[in-house]
Amino acid sequence: MNLTEKDLQDLLIQGENSSIEFKSADTRPENIAKEMVALSNVWGGTILLGVRDDGAIEGIPEDFRAEEWIANIARNNVIPPILPRVQCLHFKGKTVCVVHIERGKEKPYQANDFKYYVRVGSTNRIATQPELLRLFQASGMFHYDSMPVARTTWNDLNLSKVDHFFKRYEFEFSGQTESEQQTLLINSDIQTDSGELTVAGLLMFGINPARYLPQCGIMFAHFAGEDLTDTLIDRKPIQGTLDDQVDTCLAAIKNNFLTPSTIQGTKRMESPPIYEDKIFRELLTNACVHRNYSISGSMIRVFLFQNRIEFISPGRLPNTINIEKLKVGVSYAINPVILKFMDNLRYIDRLGRGLPMVYRASMQRGMPVEFKEIGEEFHVILPL
């Protein structure tokens, strides 16, 4: 970190927001620790030490060993410890300490009061249960897809689909006794010991998954122009098991694409599609396999515009993954049980080749795909 006075001035002009916090030099260590925790648990950010809440610069004392003080707080008051970057700048005759906090790779973080804080706007607060659940999922310490779905039973399973699945292993599920079938379902993570279906089991083999998980579908929409406010040509809510969702949405995308053609002699010759079906299939599968199913009230959305198609999946990337890593094939598993089932059904190969394939295909056409994290969502924007 090598900020200039101009950079510091820009930070001051922005004021306190979701990634910038002002702190006086006499702030207590535990308050600095809460700021570090809250920023680390979300997107990271910057603490300006020696600046009052109203943006007025009071500076820090000349004999104040700010870097050592900050390092001790980050090591002793944050669990697990973090490594902030610190730079002291002289500005208008006073010294301001700039503390940069990275987005945490070992979330969730807690202060030494054993509370988990998150940054919301310009303030910090204790994480709610759903927020904490998502933080633990991002760390890989907890997987929502193996959790039981309340009120579900054996009767919510499509047993013919279960039987077809096990036949891939050359195993006759339907030929087993009911007790043997129950044991097999439990050992396969389709059902829990208590008799309820797991999230993964319901999404892959349920008769009507949306009855219990209404957020599990895909909303497809086709717009005439380049904006959500343009004329809606087609809208299709897609439900069912995840493999059916992928296939149905792929068909909707293909049906809504206008295939350019030329006249050659007396024949009309259709031009080849901009992208092969496997590109859209990969992006649909990726959205279904890696979305965060604990986020209620938010479906996967696929929006087809005149100049692009967007795939929007609820949930952030895990702690150790960033956008650049996705392009080169670093894979991740937010939902390892769902991943296992979709792998068996040949929708993925677990080799991390899917998104790099999409990236290369777009680059070959001179229209680079965009991967973005926006709030609690992951966006893939494929130009057309």
Side-chain angles (χ1 to χ4, degrees):
M1 183 170 64
N2 188 23
L3 299 179
T4 65
E5 287 190 20
K6 174 64 167 58
D7 296 328
L8 177 57
Q9 189 171 23
D10 289 342
L11 292 173
L12 291 168
I13 290 172
Q14 290 183 49
E16 290 186 313
N17 55 40
S18 60
S19 61
I20 299 174
E21 175 68 22
F22 298 160
K23 284 295 178 188
S24 297
D26 59 357
T27 300
R28 295 176 61 84
E30 54 266 30
N31 291 330
I32 295 292
K34 290 178 183 178
E35 301 293 345
M36 291 179 172
V37 166
L39 290 169
S40 295
N41 277 334
V42 188
W43 300 106
T46 303
I47 301 171
L48 298 182
L49 187 63
V51 180
R52 294 203 304 258
D53 289 343
D54 60 5
I57 299 174
E58 63 180 13
I60 58 176
E62 290 297 328
D63 59 348
F64 183 56
R65 301 169 68 176
E67 292 188 38
E68 181 180 344
W69 188 69
I70 290 294
N72 286 333
I73 294 172
R75 181 172 57 249
N76 301 321
N77 296 53
V78 177
I79 308 170
I82 63 172
L83 292 171
R85 290 178 290 154
V86 182
Q87 181 182 354
C88 291
L89 287 172
H90 294 288
F91 186 75
K92 294 184 178 180
K94 296 180 180 179
T95 301
V96 175
C97 186
V98 182
V99 184
H100 181 69
I101 308 296
E102 297 282 355
R103 172 188 175 184
K105 294 183 179 180
E106 298 182 75
K107 290 183 284 192
Y109 293 86
Q110 59 182 317
N112 57 1
D113 60 0
F114 303 108
K115 294 178 181 178
Y116 299 90
Y117 295 91
V118 292
R119 185 82 174 174
V120 180
S122 61
T123 61
N124 304 323
R125 60 170 169 76
I126 297 173
T128 63
Q129 186 176 10
E131 288 169 336
L132 192 56
L133 181 67
R134 292 196 286 271
L135 288 171
F136 274 107
Q137 284 190 92
S139 71
M141 298 168 64
F142 168 81
H143 299 294
Y144 186 77
D145 65 340
S146 62
M147 292 289 290
V149 181
R151 303 186 309 281
T152 56
T153 68
W154 164 281
N155 294 326
D156 292 300
L157 279 176
N158 182 338
L159 293 179
S160 64
K161 193 160 191 172
V162 174
D163 191 44
H164 179 71
F165 174 79
F166 282 108
K167 281 180 180 178
R168 290 176 172 270
Y169 294 102
E170 299 182 356
F171 187 86
E172 198 69 34
F173 176 82
S174 58
Q176 308 300 305
T177 66
E178 184 173 330
S179 175
E180 290 170 333
Q181 289 177 340
Q182 293 278 3
T183 300
L184 193 57
L185 291 174
I186 292 171
N187 292 339
S188 302
D189 299 312
I190 296 173
Q191 187 174 311
T192 66
D193 292 335
S194 63
E196 294 171 311
L197 304 186
T198 64
V199 170
L202 179 66
L203 291 175
M204 295 303 303
F205 305 104
I207 294 174
N208 181 16
R211 177 184 176 188
Y212 301 98
L213 297 173
Q215 72 270 27
C216 73
I218 300 175
M219 178 60 69
F220 172 80
H222 181 191
F223 299 90
E226 300 179 3
D227 193 83
L228 289 171
T229 59
D230 289 322
T231 302
L232 184 64
I233 296 175
D234 190 15
R235 178 183 179 276
K236 187 184 297 294
I238 299 169
Q239 300 285 2
T241 56
L242 296 188
D243 53 326
D244 287 341
Q245 288 182 35
V246 171
D247 294 340
T248 302
C249 194
L250 177 59
I253 292 171
K254 293 173 65 177
N255 288 340
N256 277 270
F257 260 109
L258 296 176
T259 305
S261 61
T262 57
I263 302 298
Q264 296 184 9
T266 59
K267 295 183 178 180
R268 180 181 294 276
M269 306 295 292
E270 290 190 349
S271 302
I274 299 175
Y275 294 102
E276 297 176 78
D277 289 354
K278 65 180 181 180
I279 298 295
F280 301 123
R281 180 183 167 99
E282 169 59 34
L283 292 174
L284 289 168
T285 301
N286 188 76
C288 287
V289 169
H290 297 302
R291 74 150 285 178
N292 188 333
Y293 286 98
S294 71
I295 299 177
S296 60
S298 184
M299 301 173 72
I300 292 169
R301 282 112 64 212
V302 178
F303 294 155
L304 176 60
F305 297 95
Q306 193 174 49
N307 64 338
R308 68 192 187 280
I309 182 168
E310 297 189 15
F311 298 80
I312 305 168
S313 180
R316 300 176 185 172
L317 297 174
N319 292 352
T320 57
I321 300 297
N322 57 38
I323 300 298
E324 294 307 312
K325 288 183 178 180
L326 291 178
K327 295 177 183 178
V328 296
V330 176
S331 59
Y332 61 100
I334 292 176
N335 301 301
V337 183
I338 292 175
L339 182 69
K340 173 185 67 177
F341 290 138
M342 292 294 276
D343 177 38
N344 179 272
L345 295 175
R346 303 294 186 266
Y347 280 78
I348 54 176
D349 63 13
R350 291 217 210 186
L351 298 178
R353 299 184 297 179
L355 292 184
M357 174 187 70
V358 174
Y359 180 70
R360 288 193 301 272
S362 67
M363 293 299 289
Q364 288 168 1
R365 291 158 177 78
M367 301 183 295
V369 64
E370 290 185 78
F371 301 120
K372 292 182 177 180
E373 275 190 301
I374 303 176
E376 288 288 341
E377 295 181 330
F378 180 64
H379 294 231
V380 179
I381 304 169
L382 189 65
L384 300 177

